[in-house]
């Protein structure tokens, strides 16, 4: 009897365990694991993502710079795929069997039950052919999505490009992006991603077991419409943008032009550049690989990422700080003998030119290094030097920093660099405490040494001078959508701490630079342009050509900075290029100059350096080597000839001497008594 009851409890226990296991499994399937839910749902209702049109980008005059065109992605749910004619499928999509297998492996790895992109960006013609036979390929579908197109193929570094969301981007988006989605990677496309991308929609479609669509689920009650992204109106003027890119073709450098009264960037050229359309379509990856390998770095955004010593373009700023601090006046005269003596050093003016007696305006006009060396030493030594050098130097640095050097200007683009404005602590490390003085760092006086600036910072300094003491933060977007939205920080004035009365003497000198000074060849008929040339030394290379300016003098409309790397003097390349941009913007055309300077010459000039290791470089080195060998042989031959002539002359002299001695010996000796 007891045995019977014992067995009954055992059987009941086993049954209860079985029921609990079954319930646990059901709970796991229905609540924890969504594979079966997804599989069942995909057999009946498919949730199709509706991708919105990305917001277009216009220039300041309403010209379209970026717009959209429709392409199609083929998607797949691996678990729904059944045997079909893969050869015919591959023909439709223009892929091979190996490509098909690789794509399927990738899709299964992502999820056997979720839809993912199988083939990207097929054409409308391919889509039409594929759609007709869609029912033959269970598990596959086609999704329409917009991609970018660039009508003018210009302003690539400003606009940026879009690409597939990486794993890191997907993770940061907290589930908003999925594999295969496109996002802004660089430029404005990245900075304004949140407003450009719009809002995705959802369409729920009914499908039967044969993969044939049967209409909208629940009459569309659960669908949501896609909302297009906002339109951006940029500050760029495409006319001068395209002109700038032509002028800088086959050159390395940058052009930045700013409207002083707003801080809006009118021109943003970075060269070498590229056609942004190359980064759209099925060949995007291949084209991107080529561009990434380009030794001249077309993806490098030089206006905000490249560092350059400002050179003599820094001199007007230095003069403004000195007048504000009371160490000079516009009438301060310096006698330039062609050099400046500081400590035990003698620093010469450019090419040793003797300027004689110069005041502030003439020193700016003729770019007298000695005058500004004197100004710098007065600023740094005004506390007596010695222990107080650090304090005086940092005070000078802080005044310079107010113009935007040494820090980010917070332009609405990613990856802006801050340049370099050295602190006294840097020189303490380099030379030791009390181991340096103003003469040690005298190169800073003329914008060289450790002082480095981006072209954007250089243009911003000119906007500040044009405004007589303040600037608006430079920005590239005028408005967002129909609301004409703009960030508040771009509407606020940033004062630099120099009284407006001190600007006219400096501006007089800058006008003289163009009227009869170092940039007289770039004078624009009918426009008063105030500027400053810079010829910046580069170790073991040709000088950088730099020019900064604003125009017109009264009520300025444009401030500009041009840098042409390793090309020579500022007046030779940067100044003429800047003058063409300024004249085109202000007058709508470029007039014939008395100096016969014309744009086509600069457009056609090739100043690109040789590619390291290229056939051209090897040929040049071989030619140089042969030239040196030939020159050495000529020198050796000349030396041998000269040596022989000397030897012959010596031998001849020796022979003549012997003959003379013989003649003397043959003469009768004179008697003393005669």
């Amino acid at each position: 009897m007891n045995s019977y009851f014992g067995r009954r409890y055992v059987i009941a226990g086993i049954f209860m365990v079985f029921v609990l296991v079954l319930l646990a499994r059901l709970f796991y399937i229905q609540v924890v694991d969504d594979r079966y839910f997804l599989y069942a749902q995909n057999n009946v209702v498919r949730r199709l993502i509706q991708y919105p049109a990305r917001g277009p980008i216009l220039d300041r005059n309403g010209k379209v710079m970026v717009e959209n065109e429709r392409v199609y992605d083929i998607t797949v749910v691996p678990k729904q795929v059944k045997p079909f004619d893969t050869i015919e499928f591959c023909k439709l999509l223009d892929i091979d069997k190996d490509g098909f297998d690789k794509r399927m492996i990738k899709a299964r790895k992502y999820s056997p039950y979720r839809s993912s992109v199988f083939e990207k960006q097929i054409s409308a013609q391919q889509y039409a052919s594929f759609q007709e036979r869609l029912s033959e390929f269970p598990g596959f579908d086609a999704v329409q999505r917009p991609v970018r197109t660039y009508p003018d193929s210009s302003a690539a570094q400003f606009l940026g490009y879009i690409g597939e969301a990486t794993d890191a981007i997907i993770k940061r988006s907290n589930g908003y992006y999925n594999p295969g989605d496109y996002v802004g990677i660089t430029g404005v496309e990245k900075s304004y991603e949140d407003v450009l991308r719009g809002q995705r929609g959802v369409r729920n479609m009914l499908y039967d077991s044969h993969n044939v669509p049967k209409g909208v689920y629940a009459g569309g009650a659960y669908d949501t419409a896609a909302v297009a992204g906002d339109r951006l109106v940029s500050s760029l003027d495409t006319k001068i943008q395209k002109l700038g890119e032509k002028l800088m073709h086959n050159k390395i450098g940058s052009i930045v032009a700013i409207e002083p009264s707003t801080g809006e960037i009118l021109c943003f050229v970075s060269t070498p550049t590229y056609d942004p359309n190359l980064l759209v379509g099925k060949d995007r990856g291949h084209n991107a690989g080529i561009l990434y390998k380009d030794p001249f770095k077309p993806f490098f955004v030089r206006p905000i990422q490249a560092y350059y010593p400002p050179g003599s373009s820094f001199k007007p700023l230095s003069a403004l700080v000195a007048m504000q601090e009371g160490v000079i006046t516009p009438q301060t005269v310096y006698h330039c003998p062609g050099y400046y003596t500081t400590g035990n050093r003698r620093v010469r003016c450019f090419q040793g030119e003797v300027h004689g007696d110069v005041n502030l305006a003439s020193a700016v006009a003729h770019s007298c290094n000695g005058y500004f060396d004197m100004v710098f030493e007065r600023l740094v030594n005004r506390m007596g030097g010695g222990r107080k050098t650090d304090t005086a130097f940092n005070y000078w640095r802080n005044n310079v920093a107010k113009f935007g050097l040494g820090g980010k200007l917070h332009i609405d683009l990613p990856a802006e660099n801050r340049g370099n404005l050295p602190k006294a602590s840097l020189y303490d490390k380099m030379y030791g405490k009390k181991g340096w003085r103003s003469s040690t760092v005298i190169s800073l006086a003329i914008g060289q040494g450790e002082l480095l600036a981006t072209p954007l910072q250089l243009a911003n300094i000119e906007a500040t001078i044009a405004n007589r003491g303040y600037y608006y933060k430079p920005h590239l977007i005028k408005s967002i959508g129909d609301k004409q939205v703009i960030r508040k920080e771009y509407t606020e004035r940033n004062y630099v701490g120099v009284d407006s009365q001190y600007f006219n003497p400096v501006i007089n000198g800058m006008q003289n630079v163009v009227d009869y000074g170092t940039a007289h060849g770039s004078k624009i008929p009918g426009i008063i342009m105030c500027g400053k040339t810079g010829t910046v030394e580069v170790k073991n290379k040709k000088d950088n050509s730099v020019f900064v300016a604003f125009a017109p003098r009264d009520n300025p409309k444009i401030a500009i900075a041009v840098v042409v790397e390793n090309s020579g003097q500022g007046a030779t390349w940067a100044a003429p290029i800047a003058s063409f941009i300024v004249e085109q913007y202000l007058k709508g055309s470029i007039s014939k100059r008395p100096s016969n300077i014309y744009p086509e010459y600069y457009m056609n000039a090739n100043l690109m350096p040789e590619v390291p290791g290229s056939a051209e470089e090897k040929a040049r080195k071989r030619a140089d080597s042969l030239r040196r060998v030939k020159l050495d042989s000529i020198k050796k031959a000349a030396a041998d000839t000269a040596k022989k002539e000397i030897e012959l002359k010596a031998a001849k002299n020796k022979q003549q001497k012997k003959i003379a001695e013989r003649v003397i010996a043959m003469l009768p000796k004179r008697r003393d008594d005669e």
Side-chain angles (χ1 to χ4, degrees):
M1 192 71 172
N2 291 334
S3 176
Y4 167 75
F5 281 109
R7 286 196 299 272
R8 184 179 65 178
Y9 288 131
V10 171
I11 293 169
I14 293 171
F15 179 75
M16 289 177 68
V17 170
F18 177 76
V19 170
L20 288 172
V21 170
L22 188 60
L23 289 172
R25 181 61 178 163
L26 287 171
F27 176 81
Y28 179 78
I29 291 172
Q30 295 184 10
V31 179
V32 179
D33 191 352
D34 61 355
R35 288 180 299 168
Y36 298 98
F37 169 75
L38 291 170
Y39 186 59
Q41 187 184 49
N42 284 333
N43 273 324
V44 181
V45 179
R46 290 191 192 168
R47 189 170 177 269
L48 304 179
I49 300 296
Q50 304 298 299
Y51 291 95
R54 199 169 173 87
I57 303 176
L58 314 179
D59 85 335
R60 66 188 297 109
N61 300 311
K63 183 175 176 57
V64 175
M65 301 183 72
V66 188
E67 56 189 353
N68 301 302
E69 65 178 6
R70 290 284 175 178
V71 296
Y72 301 86
D73 287 350
I74 303 301
T75 61
V76 63
V77 180
K79 200 68 176 178
Q80 294 179 356
V81 176
K82 297 176 182 178
F84 61 86
D85 188 346
T86 54
I87 295 176
E88 192 62 28
F89 180 91
C90 290
K91 283 182 181 178
L92 286 171
L93 296 184
D94 194 23
I95 61 175
D96 55 28
K97 184 62 169 58
D98 287 341
F100 175 88
D101 292 338
K102 289 177 182 177
R103 290 166 173 79
M104 283 303 300
I105 291 169
K106 184 179 179 181
R108 289 192 187 98
K109 186 176 179 181
Y110 168 65
S111 174
Y113 305 95
R114 292 183 181 274
S115 175
S116 61
V117 176
F118 180 85
E119 178 69 350
K120 307 165 197 169
Q121 301 186 24
I122 66 170
S123 66
Q125 292 78 9
Q126 283 180 304
Y127 167 74
S129 301
F130 184 83
Q131 188 67 20
E132 288 179 1
R133 303 181 61 178
L134 182 62
S135 60
E136 299 176 26
F137 311 120
F140 290 89
D141 207 341
V143 177
Q144 187 185 71
R145 70 162 76 227
V147 294
R148 297 306 231 176
T149 182
Y150 306 86
D152 284 329
S153 302
S154 65
Q157 289 88 351
F158 152 67
L159 295 170
Y161 61 89
I162 62 172
E164 270 194 67
T166 62
D167 291 341
I169 293 173
I170 292 169
K171 186 176 180 180
R172 287 197 302 268
S173 73
N174 295 319
Y176 182 86
Y177 296 114
N178 296 308
D181 285 351
Y182 291 93
V183 299
I185 302 297
T186 63
V188 170
E189 294 279 16
K190 180 176 181 179
S191 294
Y192 289 87
E193 168 69 15
D194 291 348
V195 296
L196 285 170
R197 71 188 181 188
Q199 184 63 47
R200 287 180 297 193
V202 176
R203 193 179 187 197
N204 296 285
M205 293 291 295
L206 285 169
Y207 282 75
D208 65 13
S209 59
H210 298 291
N211 200 35
V212 177
K214 293 297 182 181
V216 179
Y217 174 69
Y222 300 100
D223 293 352
T224 56
V227 179
D230 285 328
R231 180 191 65 216
L232 296 185
V233 177
S234 79
S235 59
L236 286 194
D237 185 313
T238 51
K239 287 184 180 178
I240 62 171
Q241 177 70 25
K242 289 194 285 186
L243 172 63
E245 291 181 5
K246 288 179 181 178
L247 290 166
M248 292 294 289
H249 180 61
N250 280 331
K251 302 166 191 69
I252 298 176
S254 175
I255 302 174
V256 178
I258 299 174
E259 184 178 60
S261 61
T262 62
E264 294 172 2
I265 294 176
L266 305 170
C267 182
F268 191 85
V269 174
S270 179
T271 54
T273 186
Y274 61 93
D275 182 350
N277 288 301
L278 292 173
L279 300 180
V280 178
K282 297 177 74 172
D283 293 330
R284 174 191 173 280
H286 173 72
N287 294 335
I290 294 173
L291 292 171
Y292 274 117
K293 291 177 182 176
D294 189 322
F296 301 118
K297 302 178 181 179
F299 287 134
F300 186 52
V301 188
R302 285 178 169 80
I304 61 172
Q305 294 179 334
Y307 290 171
Y308 302 102
S312 292
S313 69
F314 179 73
K315 291 173 180 176
L317 186 159
S318 185
L320 288 167
V321 171
M323 283 191 289
Q324 180 66 34
E325 294 304 314
V327 301
I328 63 167
T329 69
Q331 292 75 38
T332 299
V333 174
Y334 166 77
H335 178 76
C336 172
Y339 58 85
Y340 179 78
T341 302
T342 175
N344 58 358
R345 298 174 60 193
R346 177 178 284 188
V347 186
R348 69 174 192 155
C349 267
F350 182 66
Q351 295 182 340
E353 186 175 354
V354 177
H355 296 111
D357 291 339
V358 289
N359 60 16
L360 174 59
S362 58
V364 172
H366 297 291
S367 201
C368 177
N369 288 350
Y371 186 94
F372 291 96
D373 288 339
M374 175 270 294
V375 167
F376 179 75
E377 289 218 301
R378 286 191 182 186
L379 283 166
V380 177
N381 295 338
R382 62 188 177 139
M383 293 184 180
R387 296 179 180 178
K388 295 182 178 180
T389 299
D390 280 25
T391 304
F393 181 88
N394 282 333
Y395 191 77
W396 167 85
R397 182 194 183 278
N398 292 338
N399 284 327
V400 171
K402 293 174 184 176
F403 285 78
L405 290 178
K408 294 182 180 181
L409 290 167
H410 301 290
I411 186 176
D412 45 350
L413 281 182
E416 178 190 4
N417 283 337
R418 61 178 64 248
N420 186 56
L421 183 57
K423 297 179 180 178
S425 57
L426 171 68
Y427 299 114
D428 288 342
K429 290 178 182 176
M430 291 173 65
Y431 304 107
K433 276 276 189 180
K434 304 178 187 177
W436 63 281
R437 51 182 65 89
S438 60
S439 60
T440 313
V441 295
I442 196 68
S443 57
L444 295 174
I446 57 171
Q448 298 263 177
E450 293 73 30
L451 182 61
L452 300 170
T454 65
L456 177 69
Q457 291 171 332
L458 296 179
N460 188 64
I461 292 170
E462 297 314 296
T464 304
I465 297 174
N467 288 333
R468 277 68 170 175
Y470 65 88
Y471 66 89
Y472 294 96
K473 286 187 177 180
H475 53 282
L476 286 156
I477 298 301
K478 282 171 65 75
S479 65
I480 302 171
D482 297 325
K483 299 177 182 178
Q484 300 294 304
V485 177
I486 189 171
R487 296 179 187 174
K488 186 175 183 295
E489 63 185 293
Y490 296 143
T491 63
E492 298 172 345
R493 290 183 177 183
N494 298 270
Y495 287 90
V496 298
V498 176
D499 296 341
S500 58
Q501 62 179 320
Y502 295 122
F503 283 86
N504 273 339
V506 169
I507 291 171
N508 289 339
M510 294 177 68
Q511 180 179 337
N512 293 341
V513 167
V514 180
D515 285 352
Y516 60 81
T518 54
H520 67 275
S522 298
K523 186 175 181 179
I524 305 170
I527 295 174
I528 297 177
M529 181 169 69
C530 305
K532 186 71 193 77
T533 55
T535 302
V536 183
E537 294 180 5
V538 182
K539 190 175 181 180
N540 299 324
K541 293 181 180 179
K542 287 187 73 175
D543 296 339
N544 288 342
S545 177
V546 179
F547 185 71
V548 295
F550 65 87
R553 172 174 175 145
D554 299 320
N555 192 22
K557 297 291 191 299
I558 182 172
I560 191 168
V562 178
V563 180
V564 186
E565 293 185 21
N566 311 130
S567 58
Q569 296 183 20
T572 306
W573 295 100
I577 289 172
S579 72
F580 298 139
I581 298 290
V582 169
E583 185 175 15
Q584 178 66 46
Y585 182 70
L586 296 178
K587 297 170 67 174
S589 61
I590 299 173
S591 57
K592 187 176 181 181
R593 308 284 175 83
S595 53
N596 293 321
I597 293 176
Y598 52 95
E600 289 75 18
Y601 172 78
Y602 296 88
M603 292 178 185
N604 296 328
N606 187 343
L607 303 179
M608 294 294 288
E610 294 168 340
V611 178
S614 66
E616 291 82 2
E617 186 190 42
K618 291 177 181 177
R620 181 187 58 77
K621 286 184 176 180
R622 195 180 302 113
D624 288 346
S625 178
L626 291 171
R627 197 179 298 113
R628 282 195 298 271
V629 170
K630 187 175 181 180
L631 187 61
D632 289 345
S633 64
I634 291 171
K635 287 180 178 178
K636 188 175 183 300
D640 291 343
T641 302
K643 185 179 178 181
K644 287 179 180 178
E645 287 179 353
I646 291 170
E647 289 174 349
L648 287 171
K649 190 174 181 180
K652 188 176 181 181
N653 290 339
K654 189 176 181 180
Q655 187 176 8
Q656 288 176 345
K657 185 179 180 180
K658 286 181 178 179
I659 293 172
E661 289 174 346
R662 288 175 186 169
V663 169
I664 292 171
M666 293 173 64
L667 290 173
K669 292 181 179 180
R670 192 183 64 171
R671 294 181 179 178
D672 292 339
D673 56 348
E674 286 182 351

